[in-house]
Amino acid sequence: MRHPDPQWSRCGLYPSTGLTEPMPRRFSRIAFVASPTPEAREAAEALMRRYDHVPPEEADVVVALGGDGLMLQVLHRFMNDPKPIYGMNRGTVGFLMNEFREDALLERLEATKRSTIHPMTMVATDTEGRSHTARAINEVYMLRQTHQTAKLKVSVDDHVRLPELIADGILAATPAGSTAYNLSVGGPILPLNAQLMALTPISAFRPRRWRGALLPNHARVRIDVIDATYRPVAAVADHTEFRRVCTVETWLDHATSLVLLHDPGHSLEERILREQFG
């Protein structure tokens, strides 16, 4: 009897022979995407020399080389055709990234743990009556455009919860984004699997003691700008900005699932948990 090819001798058993057969790899087509910094470009070139790769549109996993900014860009790029993203840190912060190493990439990919996140949808209407739609991985926020503080009315699921908030602005964050801008303005850190979203004021003047709210992740938030002409406000979804808005509605898009891959012991859920303990 002919012996099977040696490459079939790693992972499983032939039912009739007792000989081993391979288990298919989770990821067979890898693409590399890098930020424009020299460190990221050099890392991408080294990996592309070492590993077979395809264009990002043909890949079943994307390896992103850079920092958290690049990770957000890649997630947005594939929002309508989600692909698992494995980031390696060639940037500065790298909260969403894995440690960079050239060796054993295929084995690292096979061992990764998945973190699934959902983006937020924002629909903003400006003072000219135009409607703008954008999506955010981290947060949707509104911010005053001039020295005049913003005056905002906050509604949740068509119920007015705050008739007037006088502040620099307000922010709605996903669990994945709760450690970003939300945390820096005093908002809570949310576990990744929490069925919640954070609503956090930015430098609130009145009501002075309002520190924000935790909302169920199916809530629909509407913010109306009071006197949008005299007190102009901008609306931002991650890095997409619209100016002189008068209303903003935002909610979590549960129909879109984005997958981040992390090395064992360094999942996004674990990182968010560690962040709560400094």
Side-chain angles (χ1 to χ4, degrees):
M1 181 180 70
R2 177 178 175 273
H3 193 284
D5 191 293
Q7 70 173 334
W8 292 81
S9 63
R10 295 193 302 273
C11 306
L13 292 176
Y14 282 107
S16 60
T17 66
L19 298 175
T20 54
E21 67 178 353
M23 296 294 288
R25 286 191 179 275
R26 284 198 293 165
F27 308 113
S28 58
R29 294 174 297 169
I30 303 172
F32 296 100
V33 176
S35 67
T37 65
E39 295 82 1
R41 299 303 309 169
E42 290 170 9
E45 291 167 4
L47 290 169
M48 287 189 287
R49 286 193 298 267
R50 189 164 180 173
Y51 300 99
D52 291 337
H53 56 279
V54 298
E57 290 70 24
E58 300 175 15
D60 50 29
V61 62
V62 175
V63 175
L65 299 151
D68 287 347
L70 176 74
M71 177 63 82
L72 290 178
Q73 292 175 24
V74 174
L75 287 168
H76 276 278
R77 175 177 174 180
F78 296 106
M79 188 84 72
N80 296 320
D81 181 24
K83 301 173 184 289
I85 312 296
Y86 180 79
M88 286 200 284
N89 189 17
R90 290 285 83 188
T92 50
V93 179
F95 183 81
L96 301 174
M97 315 301 275
N98 299 283
E99 179 187 356
F100 174 74
R101 294 201 309 269
E102 286 186 30
D103 61 303
L105 176 60
L106 302 180
E107 290 75 11
R108 290 178 74 185
L109 288 173
E110 291 302 306
T112 53
K113 305 300 181 183
R114 296 164 63 95
S115 298
T116 302
I117 61 176
H118 304 289
M120 300 185 78
T121 298
M122 178 186 80
V123 177
T125 303
D126 64 24
T127 54
E128 302 297 320
R130 296 170 296 196
S131 180
H132 311 276
T133 300
R135 288 195 281 185
I137 309 298
N138 278 348
E139 71 275 312
V140 167
Y141 64 93
M142 300 172 70
L143 197 63
R144 64 186 176 104
Q145 292 180 209
T146 68
H147 66 283
Q148 295 286 349
T149 56
K151 286 189 176 183
L152 309 170
K153 181 173 72 173
V154 180
S155 302
V156 180
D157 294 330
D158 297 323
H159 295 281
V160 176
R161 297 297 183 182
L162 207 56
E164 185 178 80
L165 169 66
I166 303 175
D168 282 354
I170 193 170
L171 177 152
T174 67
S178 66
T179 58
Y181 191 11
N182 173 71
L183 179 61
S184 71
V185 296
I189 296 175
L190 303 180
L192 188 65
N193 58 358
Q195 305 297 301
L196 299 168
M197 58 191 292
L199 188 65
T200 306
I202 302 173
S203 301
F205 179 65
R206 285 198 179 93
R208 288 186 184 275
R209 296 188 179 182
W210 190 63
R211 294 294 180 262
L214 292 176
L215 305 177
N217 66 356
H218 55 75
R220 192 179 186 107
V221 178
R222 176 184 171 115
I223 312 294
D224 291 282
V225 181
I226 301 171
D227 198 356
T229 300
Y230 182 62
R231 299 174 182 270
V233 171
V236 183
D238 281 351
H239 50 258
T240 304
E241 178 179 350
F242 305 105
R243 297 178 74 81
R244 292 191 170 273
V245 301
C246 55
T247 64
V248 167
E249 291 188 79
T250 188
W251 62 94
L252 277 171
D253 175 14
H254 295 281
T256 301
S257 296
L258 307 174
V259 175
L260 284 73
L261 302 175
H262 289 94
D263 295 328
H266 299 278
S267 68
L268 184 56
E269 184 175 359
E270 172 65 20
R271 292 174 188 217
I272 291 174
L273 184 61
R274 287 203 306 261
E275 190 76 12
Q276 297 182 75
F277 293 90

